[in-house]
Amino acid sequence: MLRNTPADVVPEVLMERREEYNEYLRQLESVRRDVVKRLDEVDERILVAVGERRDIESRIAAIEGEGIESTPLPSEISEESEDVIEQDDVPRLRQLVYVLAGHYSGITALDYDPVSGFVASGSLDTQVRVWDQGVCKYVINGHNDIVRGVQLYERFLLTASNDSRIRMWDLSLLDSIQPIASSDSTTPPVTPTICRRVPPLDLCCESTFTGHGDAVTCFQALAGTLISGSGDKTVREWDLTTGQLRQSIDLTWATKDPSKTRARRGSGCLPRGTDTGDAGFVGALQFYECALATGTSDGALRLWDLRTGQAHRQMFGHEMAVTSLQFDDRSVVTGSLDGTALLWDLRMGRVMQSLEFGAPVTSVQLRRGMAPECWMAASDSMLHHYRSDSMQRVAYASDYGLLNDRQGVGAVVSRIYCQDGDTLISGDIEGIVKTWKI
């Protein structure tokens, strides 16, 4: 090829050919990337189609099983046409199991462990209580401000508060600090310094996670990891075993553009939330492996990658601060001070259904199943339920079988817990916790 080319020109010719080949390779790489991108888009569309097909199949199965007329698709139904059962119909849950009285003020946090049967509750009175079979087993006075979160985790109980701390209590040690029953014997104990009637509560605190500069408004512990959100506008990731901070994510930059949010100016809440322990700059969060979802005071739902600490999706629908959220592999439900609960499609990134309540939605739960099933507390005395397959909303009375105000008759439900199984836990502004069978 270069036989008739002068020797002094050969290097230049070779360089030109090299550049031509490199340019050709760059073009091939660009084409390859374009093909890969298109394949990813096709895969995503296939996943969406498969998810929609499963939803349609579950609806058909429900219709055939119940023998009812077909239900219109979400795009064909309006909020006015939703089947809402009014309170006059007096719908009731299957059974009220326990009425748990002990708190002196409204309930701000609930959790339930189906294995041990323990119920944990936190309150505006700064107390945390653990209940077993309708009886208060432990009382923890480990915070000096409103309790914002409780979670039963293995043999531990994690609590968070407006005092900017998260504390992890070893429940197996709490029996040792409960008051010792009085005895008729006048003989003093042999070792009075060891057999104190009430040893210090801090002896049962396995770890205290400090570092947030304001109230800890929400948290979750899972698989050795703790994620917390705070009024200091950060989300922090901790190692539950060592207590060490892994990373801190500043959310300020993600919420600084008001043009991308529907939240009304001046409609948000203080960074630490309301006086009743709702919302905050980071009002709610949940994570699974590397996926993190947050709801913030600008009304936005954001999805994050914990490996990079970056938000990869932002979804706007609420006009005021998000108070609570929960997701599974297909859906997210969010509640807000604007009086709405939104059910989102994770794959499409859009709202599937908007539920209007006219008063702040303070707690939402997503019950796992073939179709999304939501429970909500909405600043009234009802337990609100929504099934996406039948598009039906039901408001259950929360005072069934109760006789007096101290038992929570007519009290506003502030928190609700219902995930797997047939147990539902509710807490109201009077400090009453109730367990139900649904």
Side-chain angles (χ1 to χ4, degrees):
M1 182 181 290
L2 299 176
R3 184 177 304 170
N4 299 322
T5 303
D8 58 340
V9 182
V10 169
E12 295 180 5
V13 174
L14 291 176
M15 288 297 295
E16 291 177 0
R17 298 289 174 84
R18 180 178 179 181
E19 288 297 327
E20 290 176 359
Y21 287 133
N22 288 340
E23 179 62 26
Y24 180 66
L25 290 174
R26 282 192 291 267
Q27 292 176 0
L28 288 178
E29 178 63 19
S30 177
V31 171
R32 187 191 68 81
R33 290 179 180 177
D34 186 56
V35 171
V36 170
K37 183 179 179 181
R38 293 182 181 181
L39 287 175
D40 290 339
E41 292 175 354
V42 171
D43 289 340
E44 185 175 354
R45 291 178 182 178
I46 291 174
L47 288 175
V48 171
V50 170
E52 292 178 350
R53 177 178 178 177
R54 289 177 179 173
D55 290 340
I56 293 172
E57 289 176 347
S58 64
R59 288 188 186 187
I60 294 173
I63 292 169
E64 292 176 347
E66 297 175 7
I68 61 176
E69 296 181 0
S70 61
T71 303
L73 293 172
S75 59
E76 302 170 348
I77 192 167
S78 64
E79 293 180 6
E80 290 76 10
S81 65
E82 286 178 6
D83 185 6
V84 180
I85 296 180
E86 302 293 341
Q87 185 173 354
D88 293 340
D89 297 330
V90 197
R92 309 290 185 184
L93 293 177
R94 181 157 61 92
Q95 181 186 4
L96 174 60
V97 183
Y98 296 116
V99 177
L100 312 175
H103 286 291
Y104 302 103
S105 193
I107 301 301
T108 56
L110 288 173
D111 195 29
Y112 170 69
D113 180 16
V115 177
S116 64
F118 286 174
V119 174
S121 58
S123 169
L124 295 172
D125 63 11
T126 74
Q127 283 189 347
V128 174
R129 290 176 177 261
V130 178
W131 311 82
D132 183 21
Q133 301 297 315
V135 177
C136 183
K137 188 175 180 66
Y138 307 119
V139 179
I140 300 175
N141 292 292
H143 293 284
N144 52 30
D145 208 331
I146 297 173
V147 175
R148 299 299 299 271
V150 296
Q151 182 181 342
L152 294 158
Y153 178 79
E154 297 178 352
R155 75 172 194 274
F156 301 103
L157 171 67
L158 288 96
T159 62
S161 167
N162 274 5
D163 63 10
S164 75
R165 296 181 298 168
I166 306 169
R167 309 193 74 181
M168 185 165 69
W169 310 89
D170 190 334
L171 294 180
S172 64
L173 300 178
L174 282 175
D175 286 322
S176 64
I177 69 166
Q178 300 307 303
I180 301 172
S182 60
S183 174
D184 295 334
S185 173
T186 58
T187 304
V190 178
T191 55
T193 58
I194 297 177
C195 300
R196 288 176 292 179
R197 298 182 67 83
V198 184
L201 180 66
D202 285 350
L203 293 176
C204 302
C205 183
E206 181 77 10
S207 299
T208 298
F209 301 87
T210 59
H212 281 298
D214 204 339
V216 177
T217 52
C218 51
F219 77 89
Q220 183 194 3
L222 180 67
T225 297
L226 170 67
I227 306 288
S228 59
S230 170
D232 65 7
K233 304 181 181 181
T234 66
V235 167
R236 295 182 175 233
E237 179 182 357
W238 314 79
D239 188 314
L240 270 178
T241 304
T242 64
Q244 297 298 310
L245 178 67
R246 290 176 180 167
Q247 67 171 320
S248 179
I249 304 174
D250 187 353
L251 272 62
T252 306
W253 67 270
T255 59
K256 66 182 180 181
D257 188 356
S259 65
K260 294 183 179 180
T261 175
R262 294 178 56 188
R264 297 188 298 267
R265 182 173 296 179
S267 64
C269 58
L270 296 173
R272 60 172 34 210
T274 66
D275 292 338
T276 54
D278 300 313
F281 188 88
V282 187
L285 64 79
Q286 183 188 349
F287 79 97
Y288 181 75
E289 294 181 350
C290 296
L292 169 68
T294 61
T296 47
S297 59
D298 62 352
L301 168 65
R302 292 181 175 85
L303 305 182
W304 304 74
D305 188 331
L306 289 172
R307 293 167 296 187
T308 62
Q310 300 295 317
H312 58 83
R313 181 180 291 184
Q314 301 184 88
M315 293 177 278
F316 300 95
H318 291 294
E319 296 184 351
M320 295 181 71
V322 175
T323 59
S324 54
L325 68 83
Q326 196 164 43
F327 68 78
D328 60 15
D329 59 340
R330 293 184 295 174
S331 310
V332 184
V333 60
T334 56
S336 169
L337 293 178
D338 65 7
T340 65
L342 301 181
L343 184 62
W344 303 79
D345 187 317
L346 264 181
R347 295 185 179 91
M348 301 296 292
R350 60 177 176 83
V351 176
M352 292 192 294
Q353 190 64 46
S354 175
L355 307 174
E356 300 282 346
F357 293 95
V361 178
T362 57
S363 184
V364 296
Q365 292 281 285
L366 185 62
R367 194 159 179 255
R368 299 173 180 87
M370 286 296 296
E373 182 179 346
C374 309
W375 288 90
M376 295 150 287
S379 301
D380 57 19
S381 61
M382 310 302 288
L383 306 170
H384 296 274
H385 180 243
Y386 173 75
R387 287 186 62 96
S388 64
D389 54 355
S390 62
M391 307 293 288
Q392 185 181 62
R393 287 172 60 179
V394 182
Y396 292 96
S398 65
D399 54 3
Y400 177 63
L402 304 180
L403 303 177
N404 55 64
D405 292 339
R406 186 55 189 151
Q407 290 181 317
V409 174
V412 172
V413 178
S414 56
R415 295 293 183 270
I416 197 166
Y417 179 96
C418 183
Q419 293 185 9
D420 299 327
D422 61 349
T423 298
L424 182 144
I425 315 295
S426 66
D428 61 41
I429 63 172
E430 301 297 330
I432 305 298
V433 178
K434 305 183 184 110
T435 66
W436 309 80
K437 292 297 182 183
I438 59 175

